[in-house]
Amino acid sequence: MSDTALDTPPAAGADRKAAFEANKLSKRLHRQVGQAIADFNMIEAGDKIMVCVSGGKDSYALLDILMNLRKRAPVPFELVAVNLDQKQPGFPAHVLPAYLEQVGVPFRIEEQDTYSIVKRLIPEGQTMCSLCSRLRRGILYRVASELGATKIALGHHRDDMVVTLLMNMFFGSRMKGMPPKLVSDDGKHVVIRPLAYVAETDLERWAEHRAFPIIPCTLCGNQEGLQRAQIKAMIRDWDRQYPGRIDNMFTAMGNIVPSHMMDRNLYPFTSLQATGVADPAGDKAFDEDDPCEPAAPSVVKLRLDD
């Protein structure tokens, strides 16, 4: 062992390792967000991006990464942070303005008492998310119009998108996920999700590293009994037992084969006829598909490892 190694305090070695891991995480997050933006053309020259900031880890990370990417982006765009103060009892109204002033981003705090509306209309013990979400969405669309925002950026990540797919399958009997880009309900805005390729565990680590001043959502008390919370716990458990399962499920959302599903609106099953022409890429009707066979290339690229 060298004299240098003997002279190095254990704490110094641990600090170097932590710095290395943080730098690696930073590169991965910025690369994944940049890739999602490029794959789905989320940001264009001259865009004014309204970043919805709730005080949770995901929206803090979204704003943080977009601010960094803007410095070296190939096209110019603006950012404005918007928080909806829903007048929840005990909400620390000073935290977000202080943080946003510190990082130097233009922002707007929109005060609307949706808390009282939700509490009045939803019986005690029932879930509040649906009504709360509808009220919040309408307000944010209005604010985006007032600000002249061309895009609305939300902090949903890879795990949110997989959970939404499973929620729709289990309880809505439909194959519907959470798209990385869509036109808003009112038809006036484009909503983007730049964290689409990012794992929630990475966002948790990033929030800890960056020491974001997290504000918990007290409106619903986190409602641990919600089906969404249970499904999130389920896929976390799957990923611990079978690493890569969430990645595979997410990638599958970008590798749809309409001819091998059952939606008659997407594929002309009723008019399907034999052509007499062999298709080298076609189905082998009497064979079972090999689930381990690699899928066709897709625009969805997870991990983007170093």
Side-chain angles (χ1 to χ4, degrees):
M1 184 178 295
S2 68
D3 292 340
T4 302
L6 290 172
D7 293 340
T8 301
D15 289 344
R16 280 200 299 271
K17 182 178 179 181
F20 172 79
E21 291 298 329
N23 184 59
K24 184 177 178 181
L25 175 62
S26 176
K27 288 180 177 179
R28 180 164 66 246
L29 290 174
H30 287 79
R31 188 162 54 249
Q32 288 176 331
V33 172
Q35 187 69 61
I37 290 172
D39 283 349
F40 297 98
N41 193 29
M42 292 184 183
I43 297 178
E44 300 168 273
D47 268 341
K48 185 173 186 178
I49 312 295
M50 186 179 100
V51 184
C52 299
V53 182
S54 65
K57 69 181 188 316
D58 305 330
S59 58
Y60 272 127
L62 173 62
L63 178 63
D64 186 41
I65 294 168
L66 287 179
M67 290 179 67
N68 289 330
L69 289 177
R70 186 180 57 168
K71 298 173 184 176
R72 55 180 185 271
V75 297
F77 63 91
E78 298 179 53
L79 295 173
V80 56
V82 170
N83 169 255
L84 174 58
D85 181 350
Q86 298 176 267
K87 297 304 176 184
Q88 302 169 24
F91 181 78
H94 65 285
V95 172
L96 270 169
Y99 173 81
L100 296 171
E101 287 177 0
Q102 175 189 333
V103 299
V105 65
F107 67 91
R108 171 168 166 176
I109 307 296
E110 179 71 15
E111 298 184 3
Q112 295 286 333
D113 189 2
T114 62
Y115 175 84
S116 296
I117 297 173
V118 171
K119 295 296 286 185
R120 185 176 74 250
L121 297 179
I122 303 297
E124 191 69 31
Q126 293 191 17
T127 59
M128 308 173 185
C129 293
S130 180
L131 176 59
C132 180
S133 178
R134 289 199 303 273
L135 293 172
R136 185 170 63 246
R137 185 163 58 241
I139 294 168
L140 291 174
Y141 288 168
R142 172 180 58 78
V143 172
S145 294
E146 292 173 359
L147 292 173
T150 56
K151 303 281 175 60
I152 299 174
L154 303 179
H156 298 117
H157 46 71
R158 179 205 67 175
D159 298 47
D160 288 327
M161 298 170 82
V162 171
V163 167
T164 299
L165 174 67
L166 294 176
M167 288 281 291
N168 277 302
M169 290 175 62
F170 295 167
F171 306 109
S173 300
R174 56 187 175 180
M175 296 285 288
K176 178 183 177 183
M178 180 183 282
K181 181 180 180 182
L182 75 156
V183 175
S184 61
D185 295 350
D186 61 6
K188 298 177 181 178
H189 306 282
V190 174
V191 178
I192 59 175
R193 296 183 169 101
L195 299 181
Y197 292 169
V198 177
E200 184 173 24
T201 50
D202 280 349
L203 293 171
E204 291 168 352
R205 293 171 57 206
W206 189 244
E208 182 178 359
H209 169 67
R210 299 288 282 171
F212 296 137
I214 303 297
I215 302 173
C217 177
T218 56
L219 174 59
C220 60
N222 293 326
Q223 300 186 121
E224 289 298 333
L226 285 179
Q227 296 290 353
R228 180 172 290 274
Q230 293 178 14
I231 291 177
K232 179 178 287 191
M234 179 183 72
I235 67 169
R236 283 284 187 101
D237 185 55
W238 283 352
D239 209 43
R240 281 192 293 269
Q241 294 185 57
Y242 311 101
R245 179 170 286 190
I246 299 178
D247 286 347
N248 289 341
M249 292 177 66
F250 181 76
T251 302
M253 295 170 70
N255 282 318
I256 308 297
V257 184
S259 64
H260 286 55
M261 300 300 287
M262 295 178 62
D263 192 329
R264 290 170 292 168
N265 295 315
L266 295 180
Y267 193 79
F269 291 105
T270 56
S271 61
L272 198 61
Q273 300 288 334
T275 64
V277 179
D279 180 357
D283 181 41
K284 298 174 180 61
F286 296 99
D287 296 342
E288 292 186 9
D289 286 338
D290 182 357
C292 296
E293 183 179 346
S298 167
V299 296
V300 178
K301 306 177 186 69
L302 283 176
R303 280 295 161 200
L304 303 166
D305 292 326
D306 295 339

